[in-house]
Amino acid sequence: MTPCTWWRGHWARPDMHVIATAGHVDHGKSTLLRALTGMEPDRWAEERRRGMTIDLGYVWTTLPSGAVAAFVDVPGHQRFFGNALAGFGPVPAVLLVVAADEGWCRQTSEHVAALRALDVRHGVVAITRSDLGDAELASEEAALHLAGTPLADAEHVAVSGVTGEGLPELRDALDRLARRLPAPDLVRPARLWVDRVFTVRGAGTVVTGTLGGGTLAAGDELVLVPSGRPVGIRGLESLKTTVDRADAVARVAVNLRGVGRDEVRRGDALIAPGGWHSTAELDVRLHDLRPTDEARRRALPEQLTLHIGSAAVPVRTRTLGGSDTARLTLATPLPVAHGERVALHDPGRRSVVAGADVIDAAPPRLSGRRARAARALVLEGVARRPDPAGEVVRRGAVRRELLLALDILSADDADPATVVSAAGWLVDPARWDAWREALLAAVDTRAAAHPLAPGLPGEAAARDLGLPDVKLLDALVAETRLVSDGWGVHRPGVAATLPERAERALRQVEAALRATPFTAPSAAELDAAGLTTRELSVAVAAGRLLRVGGDVYLLPSAAELAAAELSLLAEPFTLSQAREALGTTRRVAVPLMEHLDRVGVTRRVSPELRVLRAVQARRRPGPGDHGGGGLRQDRRGGPEPPR
C-alpha cells in the first residue's frame, strides 16, 4: 500500500509520475516491472499463459525520494501496436527497454518513432537481461539509434529483472527522471482519457486513465465524449486507495454515475463541462514524416488513424499547399486543444507515419480551388505556443470562451490589450474599425432610401455587416454614438419624414378632426386621401395622430376631449350614451371607449356600464384647438362655462 497523507480535507498521495514502458517483444518489460514493483502487470490469463503482453497493464512503486512511479506496461508485439499507442498517448515519460542479448530490434524503432511522434521527451533506457548479454554493447547501439531524437540524452542503466542486478541504480535513475518532469497544469479543466472500462458489483461502471492535467473530485459532474452524455463521479480511487480528490499527474479509477458499462470504451474522454472544444476537424503541422524525402512527403496517405491520449480515430488527411501543414477530418469528434501533439498511424503498415502539432482545433471550412493553398499561407506564422492576440487577428473575431476551451487563453489571463473586447467576443481592431465604418454608411444609406423608416433594423444591420453575433451591434452603436430604439439604428435627431403629398393629406385630416374630434375618417377616406399604413404609423410616432384601434385615427387630445364630454353624463353610463354624448358612430365609439379604459380615463363597473375614474376639475378643450377652453368643475356642483 502506497503511503498517504491527510491534506486539505482529502487523501493526497506523494508526487506521482506516470511512465510507460516501451521496447521490442520479449525484451523483458513485464519481468522488469515485476522486479521493480512486486506486482503483476499482465492482467489477463492469456497473457500469463503465453508469456507475452497483449493489452495495457498497470503497476506502481515508491521511489527512494518517496515519489510514486506508476507504470503503464505496453505490449511489444507488432500485432498489438495500437494498444501500445494507447499507453503512450497520455504519459510524459518512458522506460525504454532494450535486451542486452538481442540489442536494438525493429519494434524498438517503431516504439521510439511513436514516442517521438507524440513528443515524449523524457525517459530512462533500461538495458535488460544484462546477465545474458553484453550490456555495454547494447547501450552503445541504443545510443546510436536514439541520436537526434528527444531521448538522445536519456540515462542508460544495465539491469536484470531475474537476478536483481542494477535495480537500485534503476530506481535512482527513475527518481532523477521524476525530478526533471514538467509540473502538471492543475488550473486547466480536467480531461481523462479512458483506457480501461469494467464493472464492480454494487458500484457500477468504473473507468481508469491517466489524469494529465486538472483535478477530479467525488461529486463532480463531467461530460463523456464523444457521446456528449453527462455523467457524475460517484467515487475515486488512485492506486487502489479511495480518495476524495485526485490532482494531476495521477493514475485514477473513476466510479461513474449515469452511464452503463457498454456505453463507454477505451478512447472516450471525461471532460469538465465547457472546458474543452470537441472537434471533428484539425489543422496540423507535420513532424518526423517517414520517409522524409519530398516525393513521399507529398504522398501522405489519405486514410490514417489519429492517436491522442488513449483514443484512436480514423482520419482523412489533406495536405495544404506545398507546406508541412494538413487538414485532418476525424471520423469521431475529440476534445483537442491548440498545441497538442498527435500521432498519425498507418494501421496497414502497423507503423507511425508522422507526428503533428495541432495549430487550429477550430478551423474554417475549405471551399474553392485555391482554398488549401490560401489556408497554408495563413498557417505559416502560427506556432504551437499559444498566441492569444495573434489568434484574434487571424480569426478576425472569436468568442473568448472558445480561446479558453482551446487552451489559447487561460482563465486567469486578461484579454490581450491590443484587441477589442465586447459582448464576450475578442475582435481584431482592423475588423472592428471596418464594422464601425460600415455601420455608419449603412445607417446613412437606409435613412436616405427610406425616409418613412430611417432606422436600420438591428438584425439587418448585423447581417449586412457580417457580425458573428447580433450582441456585438450594441457595442458598435454605443461607440459610434448612434441611437438604437424601436425604429432601428439611426443617427441622433433623425426621424421619419413624410413626402410632401402625404404631408398635405395629413394636414387635411388634422383640420377635419379639430372641427369634429370624434368623426374619424374611414379606411376608404384615408386611402382616398393617399395616406398609406406606413405614413399613418409615422404620423402616430410623431405624435400627430392617435390610433385607438383598427383603422380608427383621432387627434392625440382625443382622450382629454372625450373625458370632458363624458363628465356631463350621469354615472354609470352605457356605450350608447357615450356614443351620443361624443356625437360619433359605433365604429369609433367602441375602440375609443376601450382606449379610455386602457389609459385609465374610464372604468367598467359591469359589462355594459362605465364610470369616469376621476372627479377632480377637468380642463374642457375648446372646439377649435387640441385642448383649449375653460375649466369644467365636478358635475355634482359649481358653475359651468357656457357650451
Side-chain angles (χ1 to χ4, degrees), residues 15-236:
D15 289 343
M16 187 188 301
H17 306 279
V18 183
I19 303 169
T21 62
H24 195 75
V25 63
D26 288 336
H27 276 209
K29 296 185 295 297
S30 299
T31 300
L32 180 60
L33 291 187
R34 290 188 199 99
L36 271 174
T37 68
M39 303 172 70
E40 175 56 66
D42 289 334
R43 296 181 290 116
W44 309 114
E46 176 69 9
E47 293 177 306
R48 294 189 287 273
R49 184 184 69 79
R50 296 172 62 178
M52 182 176 68
T53 300
I54 298 173
D55 203 357
L56 302 179
Y58 313 99
V59 293
W60 58 92
T61 189
T62 302
L63 299 175
S65 67
V68 173
F71 296 97
V72 179
D73 190 27
V74 310
H77 197 284
Q78 185 184 33
R79 288 174 54 195
F80 309 112
F81 189 52
N83 288 345
L85 285 168
F88 296 151
V91 303
V94 64
L95 176 60
L96 177 62
V97 172
V98 178
D101 57 335
E102 289 191 15
W104 196 270
C105 294
R106 176 181 176 182
Q107 204 59 26
T108 317
S109 292
E110 291 298 335
H111 278 199
V112 170
L115 293 166
R116 184 173 184 173
L118 290 166
D119 202 29
V120 178
R121 295 178 167 272
H122 306 278
V124 170
V125 179
I127 307 299
T128 56
R129 302 211 292 240
S130 60
D131 54 321
L132 300 178
D134 188 335
E136 185 176 350
L137 181 61
S139 178
E140 291 175 357
E141 182 185 19
L144 289 174
H145 283 280
L146 292 173
T149 75
L151 297 176
D153 296 329
E155 188 173 353
H156 292 214
V157 179
V159 64
S160 170
V162 175
T163 67
E165 179 187 1
L167 284 179
E169 290 79 6
L170 179 58
R171 289 180 179 276
D172 290 338
L174 291 170
D175 229 347
R176 288 188 288 273
L177 169 66
R179 288 195 291 271
R180 293 195 301 271
L181 295 180
D185 184 355
L186 300 181
V187 178
R188 185 80 173 97
R191 179 186 62 183
L192 180 76
W193 293 105
V194 174
D195 56 27
R196 185 183 174 206
V197 186
F198 55 94
T199 302
V200 174
R201 180 174 297 180
T205 303
V206 177
V207 302
T208 68
T210 298
L211 181 63
T215 296
L216 294 177
D220 281 355
E221 297 297 323
L222 303 172
V223 176
L224 181 65
V225 178
S227 71
R229 186 183 188 122
V231 296
I233 298 181
R234 179 180 285 124
L236 282 172

Side-chain angles (χ1 to χ4, degrees), residues 142-484:
L144 289 174
H145 283 280
L146 292 173
T149 75
L151 297 176
D153 296 329
E155 188 173 353
H156 292 214
V157 179
V159 64
S160 170
V162 175
T163 67
E165 179 187 1
L167 284 179
E169 290 79 6
L170 179 58
R171 289 180 179 276
D172 290 338
L174 291 170
D175 229 347
R176 288 188 288 273
L177 169 66
R179 288 195 291 271
R180 293 195 301 271
L181 295 180
D185 184 355
L186 300 181
V187 178
R188 185 80 173 97
R191 179 186 62 183
L192 180 76
W193 293 105
V194 174
D195 56 27
R196 185 183 174 206
V197 186
F198 55 94
T199 302
V200 174
R201 180 174 297 180
T205 303
V206 177
V207 302
T208 68
T210 298
L211 181 63
T215 296
L216 294 177
D220 281 355
E221 297 297 323
L222 303 172
V223 176
L224 181 65
V225 178
S227 71
R229 186 183 188 122
V231 296
I233 298 181
R234 179 180 285 124
L236 282 172
E237 280 191 3
S238 183
L239 308 188
K240 300 291 186 182
T241 301
T242 299
V243 295
D244 293 330
R245 168 175 149 173
D247 296 333
V249 171
R251 285 292 305 172
V252 293
V254 187
N255 183 197
L256 294 177
R257 179 183 66 252
V259 64
R261 163 68 181 84
D262 58 348
E263 297 173 288
V264 192
R265 63 181 181 84
R266 175 180 288 174
D268 287 353
L270 294 171
I271 61 173
W276 292 83
H277 175 69
S278 290
T279 180
E281 286 196 313
L282 300 171
D283 283 347
V284 300
R285 178 162 287 113
L286 302 170
H287 295 279
D288 303 318
L289 283 159
R290 304 170 71 203
T292 58
D293 61 278
E294 188 63 27
R296 295 292 295 275
R297 182 185 297 263
R298 289 195 297 268
L300 183 71
E302 184 177 354
Q303 301 297 328
L304 293 171
T305 298
L306 178 146
H307 289 264
I308 181 174
S310 60
V313 174
V315 297
R316 177 193 174 203
T317 71
R318 287 175 289 171
T319 55
L320 301 173
S323 68
D324 287 343
T325 51
R327 169 68 56 91
L328 307 181
T329 302
L330 285 62
T332 303
L334 292 176
V336 182
H338 179 95
E340 290 201 276
R341 181 65 74 93
V342 301
L344 296 174
H345 172 222
D346 186 342
R349 292 193 297 171
R350 292 175 182 165
S351 64
V352 168
V353 173
D357 290 333
V358 176
I359 52 177
D360 196 338
R365 295 184 61 184
L366 295 176
S367 58
R369 294 178 58 186
R370 297 181 176 273
R372 287 195 286 175
R375 182 64 177 160
L377 290 174
V378 170
L379 295 175
E380 278 186 0
V382 181
R384 185 180 184 186
R385 185 182 181 87
D387 176 15
E391 194 71 18
V392 173
V393 170
R394 185 164 62 85
R395 294 177 182 272
V398 60
R399 288 187 184 275
R400 190 177 193 276
E401 64 185 22
L402 177 60
L403 294 189
L404 290 171
L406 294 175
D407 204 24
I408 294 172
L409 195 66
S410 168
D412 297 331
D413 291 341
D415 294 340
T418 56
V419 305
V420 178
S421 178
W425 286 79
L426 301 180
V427 185
D428 174 21
R431 176 72 60 88
W432 186 262
D433 290 343
W435 283 343
R436 185 177 56 208
E437 296 304 318
L439 177 60
L440 290 169
V443 164
D444 291 341
T445 300
R446 171 75 184 199
H450 302 277
L452 288 176
L456 181 64
E459 291 186 1
R463 182 179 62 252
D464 293 347
L465 269 62
L467 298 183
D469 187 344
V470 72
K471 293 178 182 177
L472 287 167
L473 184 63
D474 292 338
L476 283 166
V477 167
E479 184 170 313
T480 51
R481 298 184 179 179
L482 296 173
V483 175
S484 179

Side-chain angles (χ1 to χ4, degrees), residues 377-616:
L377 290 174
V378 170
L379 295 175
E380 278 186 0
V382 181
R384 185 180 184 186
R385 185 182 181 87
D387 176 15
E391 194 71 18
V392 173
V393 170
R394 185 164 62 85
R395 294 177 182 272
V398 60
R399 288 187 184 275
R400 190 177 193 276
E401 64 185 22
L402 177 60
L403 294 189
L404 290 171
L406 294 175
D407 204 24
I408 294 172
L409 195 66
S410 168
D412 297 331
D413 291 341
D415 294 340
T418 56
V419 305
V420 178
S421 178
W425 286 79
L426 301 180
V427 185
D428 174 21
R431 176 72 60 88
W432 186 262
D433 290 343
W435 283 343
R436 185 177 56 208
E437 296 304 318
L439 177 60
L440 290 169
V443 164
D444 291 341
T445 300
R446 171 75 184 199
H450 302 277
L452 288 176
L456 181 64
E459 291 186 1
R463 182 179 62 252
D464 293 347
L465 269 62
L467 298 183
D469 187 344
V470 72
K471 293 178 182 177
L472 287 167
L473 184 63
D474 292 338
L476 283 166
V477 167
E479 184 170 313
T480 51
R481 298 184 179 179
L482 296 173
V483 175
S484 179
D485 53 25
W487 292 98
V489 181
H490 55 86
R491 289 187 182 271
V494 173
T497 57
L498 294 172
E500 186 176 346
R501 168 198 51 77
E503 180 64 32
R504 288 196 302 268
L506 179 60
R507 289 190 188 127
Q508 293 174 359
V509 170
E510 289 174 320
L513 286 172
R514 281 194 290 270
T516 54
F518 306 111
T519 306
S522 67
E525 291 170 331
L526 291 170
D527 187 57
L531 287 170
T532 66
T533 301
R534 167 65 72 180
E535 291 164 347
L536 290 167
S537 297
V538 170
V540 170
R544 296 176 65 179
L545 290 180
L546 171 69
R547 182 172 178 265
V548 295
D551 57 2
V552 177
Y553 294 88
L554 301 172
L555 293 176
S557 59
E560 189 176 5
L561 291 166
E565 296 299 331
L566 295 176
S567 67
L568 298 175
L569 296 175
E571 292 184 329
F573 52 83
T574 65
L575 173 65
S576 180
Q577 291 170 325
R579 179 183 59 76
E580 290 179 2
L582 297 174
T584 189
T585 63
R586 183 177 178 82
R587 179 183 74 87
V588 176
V590 170
L592 175 57
M593 295 307 298
E594 291 175 348
H595 173 74
L596 295 179
D597 291 343
R598 289 194 299 272
V599 299
V601 172
T602 56
R603 176 173 59 86
R604 286 181 183 269
V605 293
S606 75
E608 294 82 18
L609 299 174
R610 288 179 170 85
V611 296
L612 289 173
R613 283 185 177 270
V615 295
Q616 69 272 20

Side-chain angles (χ1 to χ4, degrees), residues 3-7 10-14 243 245 247:
C4 298
T5 56
W6 184 257
W7 180 68
H10 68 279
W11 286 104
R13 293 185 169 276
V243 295
R245 168 175 149 173
D247 296 333

